Amino acid sequence: MSIFPTSMSKNLARQLVSASRRPAAVSTLSACRFKSTKAAKAPEVSTPQEPFSLPHIELGPTHPSRYQDHYHNTLAEDLLYITYDHNLATAPKSSSASPHHDADHIPTPYEINRPAPAPRGNRPVRPSARPVGPSTIPKLESIILHTMVKESIGNKPALLSAVMALRQISGETNLGGGRKGSTGVQVLASRKGAAAFKLRAGMPVAVKVELKGQAMYDFIQSLVDFVFPRIREFPGIILPPASASHISPSATGGVIAFGLQPSDMALFPQIEVNLDAYPRLHGFHIQFLTNCKGKGAQDQARALLSGFRIPFARR
């Protein structure tokens, strides 16, 4: 039983209902604060943002190169002792037979703006042998890995497995690590067409990569420590026969080249660790480019590679 009269309780209920339906009153102080805050807010000004550019990153040496240190600390001095020729170093410089190649020759009006005459005969000019000294010690300039994929003539995606394999073996990418000389793995196109093989000029058929600097010494280390010891019945790089010409372009160029079978590609640790990712393995050629030129260049280049424990054998 309520202690209040019935009329009073009804009036109280009506007041409560009407109060709930009326909007809430805002105090004068709160309204003033709200108006002052809204008036003090400054208009937003959009500032132009500069385009984002990636920072220049240039990687330094990530690990010591054992073969590179071996060349500079031990092998270079031994090569200077082995390949030095006293007669060649003390021989006077022979003057050129053609006056166009003479440095002291004053050109005549007829010779000005005309190219030097080509040497007589149909044989290419042989580079003259240079003496070996402290500044001309035989050294390795670059290593080229090259492979051709015949299936790419009718199916261009067949090159992808070769590109992946050479990139993994060499570790080279285009301008990788900020190095300007790094060109990465390149796809080569045919220069001429062959109707018998359905090959047209300009079709991509091969892949190559060039190694320089520390990357080529790392490749030699993988080749010598992991690949050569596990090739079954591997005698070494076959030497040319004794009857081979000593003045041919291949004998005076200072380039040592040989090839590996498709099964040998799986012996590289970069490929062996994830062999299932490569649907097909390819054989490839390896070319060691040195600074040796002229007569006896091949012997100097072989002496250089022998210092890196690369074996040579005769048939």
Side-chain angles (χ1 to χ4, degrees):
M1 182 175 180
S2 176
I3 60 176
F4 299 100
T6 305
S7 59
M8 185 179 295
S9 60
K10 291 181 179 181
N11 295 334
L12 182 61
R14 292 192 188 98
Q15 292 177 4
L16 292 176
V17 171
S18 60
S20 62
R21 292 178 179 177
R22 289 198 304 266
V26 180
S27 63
T28 309
L29 182 61
S30 300
C32 295
R33 289 179 179 178
F34 177 77
K35 291 180 180 179
S36 62
T37 306
K38 188 173 182 180
K41 187 176 181 181
E44 296 182 358
V45 179
S46 61
T47 57
Q49 298 182 357
E50 298 181 357
F52 176 76
S53 60
L54 292 175
H56 175 71
I57 299 176
E58 184 172 352
L59 299 179
T62 57
H63 60 280
S65 179
R66 184 163 59 94
Y67 276 65
Q68 188 174 9
D69 295 341
H70 168 67
Y71 172 79
H72 291 292
N73 299 333
T74 304
L75 188 56
E77 298 178 358
D78 296 343
L79 289 173
L80 178 61
Y81 176 77
I82 293 173
T83 60
Y84 179 78
D85 189 355
H86 181 72
N87 296 328
L88 185 61
T90 57
K93 295 182 179 179
S94 60
S95 58
S96 179
S98 176
H100 295 270
H101 302 283
D102 192 358
D104 300 332
H105 173 70
I106 300 176
T108 62
Y110 178 80
E111 298 171 351
I112 295 177
N113 298 328
R114 283 184 172 85
R120 296 181 179 180
N122 56 357
R123 294 184 179 181
V125 179
R126 297 191 302 268
S128 58
R130 60 177 182 177
V132 176
S135 60
T136 58
I137 300 176
K139 66 178 180 179
L140 195 62
E141 293 183 345
S142 64
I143 299 177
I144 297 178
L145 310 181
H146 171 268
T147 180
M148 178 182 177
V149 184
K150 296 181 180 179
E151 290 75 13
S152 63
I153 298 177
N155 184 21
K156 293 181 180 179
L159 286 172
L160 294 178
S161 58
V163 172
M164 293 169 52
L166 291 187
R167 178 173 292 182
Q168 194 69 17
I169 292 174
S170 62
E172 291 291 301
T173 57
N174 188 19
L175 301 179
R179 292 179 288 114
K180 297 181 180 179
S182 176
T183 57
V185 180
Q186 300 179 358
V187 177
L188 304 180
S190 60
R191 297 181 180 178
K192 299 180 180 179
F197 299 99
K198 299 181 180 179
L199 178 65
R200 298 189 304 271
M203 295 181 62
V205 291
V207 176
K208 82 163 186 177
V209 60
E210 186 174 6
L211 307 177
K212 293 183 178 180
Q214 185 177 351
M216 62 182 181
Y217 292 104
D218 294 341
F219 173 78
I220 294 177
Q221 183 173 356
S222 300
L223 187 68
V224 173
D225 295 348
F226 297 98
V227 179
F228 284 162
R230 296 193 292 170
I231 297 179
R232 183 173 298 180
E233 298 179 358
F234 177 69
I237 302 175
I238 303 301
L239 294 174
S243 59
S245 175
H246 297 283
I247 58 176
S248 62
S250 61
T252 58
V255 178
I256 304 296
F258 61 96
L260 293 179
Q261 299 293 331
S263 58
D264 300 336
M265 180 179 283
L267 302 179
F268 283 89
Q270 300 89 339
I271 303 295
E272 186 179 15
V273 70
N274 195 12
L275 187 60
D276 296 338
Y278 304 93
R280 182 182 177 186
L281 300 178
H282 305 271
F284 60 98
H285 295 91
I286 306 175
Q287 299 177 358
F288 293 88
L289 277 64
T290 65
N291 64 338
C292 306
K293 304 295 179 184
K295 185 179 180 181
Q298 291 300 97
D299 296 335
Q300 297 177 4
R302 294 189 191 103
L304 171 62
L305 297 185
S306 296
F308 292 124
R309 299 189 303 159
I310 296 179
F312 292 88
R314 293 193 180 276
R315 291 188 182 274

